[in-house]
Amino acid sequence: MEYKTEEEFLKNYDPNQFDRLSMTTDILLISVSSKKQDNYRKTSKKMMSILLAKRDDYPYRNMWCLPGGFLNPKSETLEECAKRVLKKETNLSNIYLEQLYTFDDINRDPRMRVVSTSYIALVDKNRLDQKISENVSWFDIILYVEDENSVHITLDNGKINFSIEIKKRLKEKTTDRYQFVAEKNDHLAFDHSIVILSGIERLKNKINYTDIVFNMMPEYFTLGDLQQVYEVILNKKLLDPAFRRIIANKVEKTEKVQTGEGHRPSALFRYKK
Amino acid sequence: MEYKTEEEFLKNYDPNQFDRLSMTTDILLISVSSKKQDNYRKTSKKMMSILLAKRDDYPYRNMWCLPGGFLNPKSETLEECAKRVLKKETNLSNIYLEQLYTFDDINRDPRMRVVSTSYIALVDKNRLDQKISENVSWFDIILYVEDENSVHITLDNGKINFSIEIKKRLKEKTTDRYQFVAEKNDHLAFDHSIVILSGIERLKNKINYTDIVFNMMPEYFTLGDLQQVYEVILNKKLLDPAFRRIIANKVEKTEKVQTGEGHRPSALFRYKK
DNA sequence: CCAATAGTGTCTGTGAGACAGTATAAG
DNA sequence: CTTATACTGTCTCACAGACACTATTGG
């Protein structure tokens, strides 16, 4: 059939000629947690932490998963959907958000074909109310890189902890990405262990050429704290003078000082755009 | 309703409780073209080029668009869908492919809500048959960066050419991406001008820390050719010695030599993994 | 005083930027 | 011989890595 105008064509268009599917967004809400040390002199240890929700429904009942939600195709974009989920979980609207990757293995959801676009969200924990939803919890991330091809992620929320081993397997040379393969695990639902690893790698990469790290920092921070966050994300120690040179033009010194730490007080800095 | 097992739950699951939508993939098939110069001594000039298809149906009838296709949710992943499109357009299966970004503005397709995941594909043109599909054509890309916030893309296939102006507008500070806004244009369908610009930026970024550029090179190439490809992608001149230092450990010299160019012959190199 | 972190000075080696110089083919 | 590119040598400057040193607090 031949139409004269685009308008006429659209009026007769049948949207059911192609099979349809459901989409979701998954949110990697990442922040930094501090753990007080036994020794009163020592600075509190920093960790990367991530928000997980406990599933009380099938599928993957009683396992943990990334917060997420189904897209309403009629009324919202994926980013708006992600913001809606974030608002629900944190009660905040103004959170740094960036699209990570679209995961779409055919059997990633046992219910039906679901394609999921994941987003990284970075937040300073101090901005959050204590009272977040009941069935979500912050898990510290401990990353152990066994070798080039194998990574262990340990997640710990203070009450329970579990580890997942993820193998990186090179796909045929036509694709860029490693094929991440999670070993069978009884704690993380769907393909979310792979989403988490992808997000950590993105962060590790982007911290070097962007200022995203400041989305996880409070307004005033010491350079020691900032350096620890870098070290946690990059998963390696940095030398003080080198670090200070790198971030020198990204921060500005304030009049404020942090004392009461059992050692020389440190100046508080602020992010400079 | 409460189920005892996941199996039981799945048997009773209704996939229609959430609205569904259609997905497509769009392929940015990028390669390098060479243009002979008038002066017999001069080396042929390199350009980035991209494959576009002419639409002979509504919507956007008679305009150009990226090759793409609807996802079959029952039988294929997005990447497989992208490969299917590539196979159809190029008759090749072994092409470098990487997911770029998922575009999902609500009104990006006037027919209905369509979410599109775009893929970058890189290929050496010499691998292609001359006889590609009838209604597709290679367009050279000329990029003119007016200032930080405005880019002009000119596309030229030898017969027709057109320009699109794209403004980069910063979104609210919660998101990473620039909000690209294409000025009204009568030649490129959908949001494809924005997809193209995103792909070029990805390429420009990744060329510095990966070896993807070799996917666009023939097996044997001169360092002059390789340098020109870098220059075209990075959109700036490079100094010979600096360039040779950078790529020194990525290539290996062969016995072969390229002659007949009206000047000193150059050694042919090969990609070294 | 001790222990721990804060913060700075400076040496060294690597590597990019820059420029100049030599080499060699076709016409 | 001219022209254009191929290819190399080397100087300089910026900067990361490394280490040592001083400063300052609570106990």
Side-chain angles (χ1 to χ4, degrees):
Chain A
M1 185 151 174
E2 188 72 21
Y3 298 105
K4 289 236 178 60
T5 66
E6 183 154 332
E7 201 179 341
E8 188 189 348
F9 162 84
L10 288 172
K11 222 169 70 186
N12 291 280
Y13 185 78
D14 171 22
N16 294 312
Q17 62 183 300
F18 298 104
D19 279 337
R20 298 168 141 202
L21 71 162
S22 297
M23 286 195 75
T24 62
T25 56
D26 290 318
I27 317 292
L28 271 162
L29 181 56
I30 296 175
S31 190
V32 175
S33 65
S34 301
K35 212 168 251 142
K36 275 251 185 297
Q37 299 294 90
D38 298 338
N39 186 333
Y40 77 98
R41 289 188 197 279
K42 288 212 169 180
T43 49
S44 59
K45 199 181 164 198
K46 298 272 185 309
M47 311 272 281
M48 232 192 307
S49 63
I50 186 171
L51 195 75
L52 296 179
K54 185 147 193 173
R55 294 188 61 80
D56 42 31
D57 264 335
Y58 294 113
Y60 296 106
R61 191 175 180 178
N62 291 325
M63 290 169 72
W64 295 89
C65 71
L66 296 170
F70 277 89
L71 174 74
N72 184 335
K74 294 212 183 90
S75 64
E76 61 185 2
T77 62
L78 289 163
E79 189 173 307
E80 284 160 4
C81 176
K83 281 181 181 163
R84 173 166 61 75
V85 173
L86 269 178
K87 172 80 182 173
K88 181 185 149 224
E89 301 293 355
T90 65
N91 204 28
L92 290 176
S93 303
N94 196 32
I95 296 183
Y96 175 85
L97 196 63
E98 119 173 27
Q99 192 188 102
L100 174 60
Y101 199 82
T102 298
F103 292 89
D104 78 317
D105 278 357
I106 289 186
N107 297 313
R108 56 178 296 285
D109 190 315
R111 291 168 289 190
M112 54 180 170
R113 180 76 195 273
V114 178
V115 172
S116 176
T117 298
S118 52
Y119 283 80
I120 294 180
L122 302 179
V123 72
D124 162 30
K125 259 189 185 165
N126 301 313
R127 291 178 58 201
L128 298 172
D129 306 336
Q130 301 306 353
K131 41 179 166 50
I132 46 172
S133 323
E134 273 230 337
N135 54 349
V136 299
S137 174
W138 286 99
F139 282 75
D140 287 336
I141 302 174
I142 302 115
L143 213 66
Y144 170 62
V145 181
E146 188 167 321
D147 58 55
E148 275 185 346
N149 301 313
S150 178
V151 178
H152 295 250
I153 300 178
T154 300
L155 295 164
D156 186 340
N157 75 343
K159 293 173 189 163
I160 65 159
N161 71 82
F162 50 89
S163 293
I164 295 136
E165 183 184 356
I166 296 175
K167 302 266 189 203
K168 289 181 178 178
R169 197 182 304 158
L170 266 175
K171 275 194 183 172
E172 73 265 56
K173 74 166 186 295
T174 54
T175 24
D176 66 315
R177 283 179 57 240
Y178 286 97
Q179 186 177 26
F180 293 128
V181 182
E183 305 294 305
K184 192 162 166 44
N185 77 77
D186 300 327
H187 293 92
L188 265 183
F190 305 105
D191 51 2
H192 288 182
S193 55
I194 289 163
V195 182
I196 291 172
L197 185 56
S198 303
I200 292 171
E201 300 224 326
R202 165 81 61 97
L203 214 52
K204 194 172 177 172
N205 191 26
K206 264 201 148 175
I207 199 177
N208 288 315
Y209 66 95
T210 68
D211 293 354
I212 46 171
V213 69
F214 295 104
N215 292 294
M216 295 193 276
M217 302 302 292
E219 185 175 1
Y220 298 100
F221 49 83
T222 69
L223 294 188
D225 282 350
L226 184 61
Q227 185 172 342
Q228 273 198 63
V229 175
Y230 268 78
E231 290 174 344
V232 160
I233 291 173
L234 294 173
N235 208 19
K236 69 174 180 191
K237 279 271 164 227
L238 301 176
L239 292 169
D240 295 7
F243 175 73
R244 279 159 191 261
R245 278 192 298 246
I246 290 167
I247 50 90
N249 42 9
K250 296 183 177 183
V251 298
E252 61 188 2
K253 201 172 187 167
T254 68
E255 297 301 314
K256 298 176 195 288
V257 166
Q258 187 171 80
T259 55
E261 299 277 319
H263 50 74
R264 176 172 171 182
S266 55
L268 286 168
F269 285 74
R270 188 197 289 162
Y271 175 47
K272 189 177 72 181
K273 257 138 276 189
Chain B
M1 185 152 175
E2 187 73 22
Y3 298 104
K4 288 238 177 60
T5 65
E6 183 155 330
E7 202 179 339
E8 190 189 346
F9 161 83
L10 288 173
K11 222 168 70 189
N12 291 280
Y13 184 79
D14 170 23
N16 294 311
Q17 61 183 299
F18 298 105
D19 278 337
R20 298 168 141 202
L21 70 162
S22 297
M23 287 195 75
T24 60
T25 56
D26 291 318
I27 316 293
L28 270 161
L29 181 56
I30 296 175
S31 190
V32 174
S33 64
S34 300
K35 213 168 251 143
K36 275 250 185 298
Q37 300 292 91
D38 296 338
N39 185 334
Y40 78 98
R41 289 188 196 277
K42 288 212 167 181
T43 50
S44 59
K45 198 181 166 197
K46 298 273 185 308
M47 311 272 282
M48 232 192 307
S49 63
I50 185 172
L51 195 76
L52 296 178
K54 184 145 194 176
R55 294 188 60 78
D56 43 30
D57 264 333
Y58 294 112
Y60 297 105
R61 192 176 178 175
N62 291 327
M63 289 170 71
W64 294 90
C65 71
L66 296 169
F70 278 90
L71 175 73
N72 184 336
K74 295 210 181 92
S75 63
E76 60 183 2
T77 62
L78 289 163
E79 189 173 306
E80 284 160 3
C81 175
K83 281 181 182 164
R84 174 167 59 77
V85 173
L86 268 179
K87 172 80 181 173
K88 183 185 148 223
E89 301 292 356
T90 66
N91 204 28
L92 290 175
S93 303
N94 196 32
I95 295 182
Y96 175 86
L97 196 62
E98 119 174 27
Q99 192 188 100
L100 174 59
Y101 198 84
T102 297
F103 293 88
D104 76 318
D105 278 358
I106 290 186
N107 296 313
R108 57 179 294 286
D109 190 315
R111 291 168 289 188
M112 55 178 171
R113 181 76 194 272
V114 178
V115 172
S116 176
T117 298
S118 51
Y119 283 81
I120 294 180
L122 302 179
V123 72
D124 161 29
K125 258 190 186 166
N126 301 313
R127 291 179 57 202
L128 298 172
D129 304 336
Q130 300 307 354
K131 38 179 167 53
I132 47 173
S133 323
E134 271 230 339
N135 53 349
V136 300
S137 173
W138 286 99
F139 282 75
D140 287 335
I141 302 173
I142 301 115
L143 213 65
Y144 170 63
V145 180
E146 187 167 323
D147 57 56
E148 276 185 345
N149 301 314
S150 178
V151 178
H152 294 250
I153 299 178
T154 300
L155 296 164
D156 185 341
N157 74 344
K159 292 172 192 165
I160 66 159
N161 70 82
F162 51 89
S163 294
I164 296 137
E165 183 184 357
I166 296 176
K167 302 267 188 202
K168 290 181 177 179
R169 196 182 304 158
L170 266 176
K171 274 193 183 174
E172 73 263 56
K173 72 168 185 295
T174 54
T175 25
D176 66 316
R177 283 178 58 241
Y178 286 96
Q179 187 176 23
F180 292 128
V181 182
E183 304 294 306
K184 191 161 167 44
N185 77 77
D186 301 326
H187 293 92
L188 265 182
F190 305 106
D191 51 4
H192 288 181
S193 56
I194 289 162
V195 182
I196 292 172
L197 185 55
S198 304
I200 292 171
E201 300 223 327
R202 166 80 62 95
L203 214 53
K204 193 172 175 171
N205 192 25
K206 264 201 147 174
I207 198 176
N208 288 316
Y209 66 93
T210 68
D211 293 355
I212 45 170
V213 68
F214 296 104
N215 292 294
M216 295 193 276
M217 302 301 292
E219 185 175 0
Y220 298 99
F221 49 83
T222 69
L223 293 188
D225 282 350
L226 184 61
Q227 184 171 342
Q228 274 198 62
V229 175
Y230 269 78
E231 289 174 344
V232 160
I233 291 173
L234 294 172
N235 209 17
K236 69 175 180 192
K237 277 271 165 228
L238 302 176
L239 292 168
D240 294 8
F243 175 74
R244 278 158 192 262
R245 278 191 298 247
I246 290 167
I247 50 89
N249 43 8
K250 297 183 177 183
V251 297
E252 61 188 4
K253 201 171 185 169
T254 67
E255 298 301 313
K256 297 177 197 287
V257 167
Q258 187 170 79
T259 54
E261 299 278 318
H263 49 75
R264 177 174 170 181
S266 54
L268 286 167
F269 285 73
R270 186 198 290 162
Y271 175 48
K272 189 177 71 181
K273 258 140 275 188

